């Protein structure tokens, strides 16, 4: 007990020492400083701020949020103007010609780099040409593939001539989590090797400039520009509240300790149990939902990914059988302590997706059926989310929502029935058998074994969710287990090259604030198909091919990005196909337990005031800064 107390005392003493140095830097009083967790942790090359370079440094230490700027942003929530589409460096949305082979960009005037040089068309042209000439740099391959020529017609107008029709060319320049940030021509034109250049100190287009950074890589300190009004954020939305911003990498234990002492204003994420404990202990805690389930549902869909090149996951009946042997409320409790937002369809249940997709799909889902042994089986259950709420209340004592609309918004609309008896019929129809020990065997007599690849380090929600599903499949008679791997290798070593049969991860990420699904769906067209063993061209890790899907994508590519009604219709066609085929099993949104501390600052975004995404490593989290106001505490 004494050793434990001494350890806690040492951690608090050490954190006080570290922050004393940040706090007592000349001119940096605590009540003018906002301290934000950087989930990247320690920057491996802390003196490198060249985010365009291959293997570029940590973007989430303020570099992409408050230093860089892009042409457009799409907020996953309501948007600071009440519209998720935000013109930033561009003065208006992109302008295409009739056949989408030319895109014109009208730029905002009166925006300046932090060294006093005016931002202009020269910077945009230079960015495209430089990255195109260096395809290993961020966004370079996109420009090399699609851009034939780029030029300016005046200081505030840029034209891109495209190699082929592309109605979504602007997406490269549009920030979701990130997007193509514009380079300062007057700096990089004098650089011999733009890939090796450190860009230190970075010249800023955002409202803050670099003040100092930890040479060991743990923190980065930014100071508000004297001319903040000459940036897009300041010009459009007013002066940012904090005079200083500190991004810092911390362990989970340190995050909790520091926020309890009001020395950490925004926590990026915590394990559910740690988050809930902190929320209950800190009277100043501000979360997306004021009560259960607290967390912000990101426009990212956690799913069970099934590789269609691996037998038997190429068989729809098998995929549906696996779906019907998942008990969703149990998975929600295991992974998120019940604070999960379920999705039975292939888009995350967040932002405006609820009105665009979930409301229109509800009646269709209730009428959808599988034909099993000549009889209709209706698999959708719109009471599943209510069951999750009831279990969370009975097992953990949480105060859960009872209002139907609140349940839909926070816990989801419903999910698929737990129906092992129907799953058994589906498998037997495909020649699967059970042995005398109740174990499922493939049609060739071999024991059916499933290995679920999942994250093992730093993301306990994934490990616990995958293990619960493996447990349920074992109960059904499948020899299932999980294989936890580090986040650093899950995508490059397993998902991208198709080096898996089943995985617990995600491959569907949407804009959130726009109904267009091209952000992930464009590269699911068979033209981009890559067999297992070759890196996927996009996020089609499951190697799913369908003529109907190709037609949907082709229709999408010919549709105006800003025609919401047509894009929603196309999206609904896609979602219905994904239900019928069940090429992967959608589970829930990636819920992030971002916790803000209201001791020094107020004005954080919430579900009641969803003006931007509070998750602080997202670039569009910059939109909270003009709305943050000091509480007056010293």
């Amino acid at each position: 007990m004494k050793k434990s107390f001494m350890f806690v005392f040492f951690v608090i003493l050490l954190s006080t020492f570290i922050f004393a140095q940040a706090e007592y830097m000349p001119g940096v009083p605590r009540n003018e400083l906002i301290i934000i967790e950087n989930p990247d942790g320690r920057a491996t090359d802390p003196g490198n701020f060249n985010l365009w370079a291959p293997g570029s440094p940590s973007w989430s230490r303020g570099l992409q949020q408050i230093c860089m700027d892009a042409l457009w942003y799409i907020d996953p929530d309501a948007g600071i103007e009440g519209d998720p589409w935000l013109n930033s460096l561009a003065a208006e949305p992109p302008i295409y010609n009739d056949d989408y082979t030319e895109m014109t960009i009208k730029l905002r005037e009166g925006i300046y780099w932090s060294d006093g040089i005016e931002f202009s068309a020269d910077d945009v042209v230079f960015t495209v040409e430089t990255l195109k000439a260096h395809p290993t740099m961020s966004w370079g391959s996109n420009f090399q593939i699609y851009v034939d020529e780029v030029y300016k017609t005046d200081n505030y107008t840029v034209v891109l001539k495209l190699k082929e029709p592309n109605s979504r060319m602007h997406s490269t320049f549009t920030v979701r989590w990130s997007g193509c940030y514009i380079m300062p021509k007057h700096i990089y034109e004098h650089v011999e090797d733009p890939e090796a250049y450190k860009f230190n100190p970075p010249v800023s287009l955002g409202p803050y400039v670099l003040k100092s950074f930890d040479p060991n890589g743990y923190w980065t300190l930014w100071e508000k520009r004297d001319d903040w009004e000459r940036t897009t954020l300041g010009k459009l939305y007013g002066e940012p509240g904090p005079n200083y911003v500190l991004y810092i990498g911390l362990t989970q234990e340190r995050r909790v300790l520091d926020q309890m002492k009001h020395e950490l204003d925004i926590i990026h994420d915590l394990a559910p149990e740690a988050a809930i404990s902190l929320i209950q202990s800190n009277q100043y805690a501000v979360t997306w939902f004021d009560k259960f389930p607290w967390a912000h549902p990101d426009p990212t869909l956690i799913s069970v990914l099934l590789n269609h090149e691996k037998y038997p996951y190429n068989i729809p009946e098998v995929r549906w059988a696996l779906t019907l042997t998942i008990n969703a409320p149990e998975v929600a409790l295991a992974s998120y302590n019940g604070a999960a937002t379920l999705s039975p369809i292939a888009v995350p249940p967040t932002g405006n997706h609820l009105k665009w997709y979930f409301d229109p799909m509800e009646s269709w889902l209730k009428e959808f059926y599988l034909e099993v042994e000549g009889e209709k089986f209706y698999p959708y259950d719109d009471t599943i989310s209510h069951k999750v709420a009831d279990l969370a209340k009975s097992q953990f004592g949480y105060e859960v929502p009872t209002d139907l609309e609140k349940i839909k918004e926070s816990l989801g609309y419903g999910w698929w029935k737990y129906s092992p008896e129907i799953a058994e019929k589906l498998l037997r129809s495909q020649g699967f058998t059970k042995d005398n020990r109740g174990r499922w065997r493939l049609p060739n007599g071999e024991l059916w074994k499933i290995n679920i690849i999942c994250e093992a380090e730093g993301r306990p929600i994934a490990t616990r969710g995958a293990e619960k599903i493996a447990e349920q499949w074992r109960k059904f008679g499948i020899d299932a287990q999980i294989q936890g791997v580090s986040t650093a290798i899950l995508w490059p070593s397993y998902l991208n090259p198709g080096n898996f049969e089943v995985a617990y991860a995600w491959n569907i990420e949407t804009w959130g604030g726009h109904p267009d699904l091209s952000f992930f769906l464009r590269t699911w067209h068979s033209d981009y198909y890559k067999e297992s063993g070759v890196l996927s061209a996009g996020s089609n890790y499951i190697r799913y091919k369908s003529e109907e899907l190709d037609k949907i994508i082709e229709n999408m590519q010919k549709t105006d990005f800003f025609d919401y009604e047509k894009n929603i219709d196309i999206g609904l066609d896609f979602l219905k196909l994904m239900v019928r085929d069940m090429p992967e099993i959608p589970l829930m949104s990636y819920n992030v337990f971002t916790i803000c501390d209201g001791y020094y600052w107020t004005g954080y975004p919430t579900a009641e005031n969803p003006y931007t995404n509070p998750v602080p490593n997202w670039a569009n989290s910059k939109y909270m800064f003009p709305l943050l106001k000091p509480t007056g505490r010293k």
Side-chain angles (χ1 to χ4, degrees), residues 38-80:
N38 171 16
D40 289 350
R42 183 182 183 184
T44 55
D45 187 2
N48 188 353
F49 294 88
N50 183 359
L51 55 62
W52 300 276
S56 52
S58 169
W59 295 13
S60 299
R61 51 181 169 154
L63 189 55
Q64 74 161 350
Q65 299 100 314
I66 56 176
C67 179
M68 295 293 100
D69 205 351
L71 298 178
W72 302 285
Y73 288 71
I74 294 179
D75 197 275
D77 295 297
I80 193 170

Side-chain angles (χ1 to χ4, degrees), residues 317-318 320-326 370 372-373 377 418-435 438-441 448 475-478:
E317 288 83 358
V318 171
W320 259 107
L322 291 173
T323 303
L324 296 173
T325 48
I326 292 175
L370 301 170
V372 184
E373 294 184 350
F377 171 70
Y418 178 61
S419 306
E421 67 285 354
I422 298 296
E424 181 164 340
K425 292 178 180 180
L426 288 170
L427 291 179
R428 291 192 184 280
S429 75
Q430 299 301 306
F432 287 67
T433 57
K434 268 189 173 181
D435 62 21
R439 299 177 302 176
W440 280 104
R441 292 188 175 272
W448 187 10
K475 180 181 177 182
F476 179 62
I478 301 171

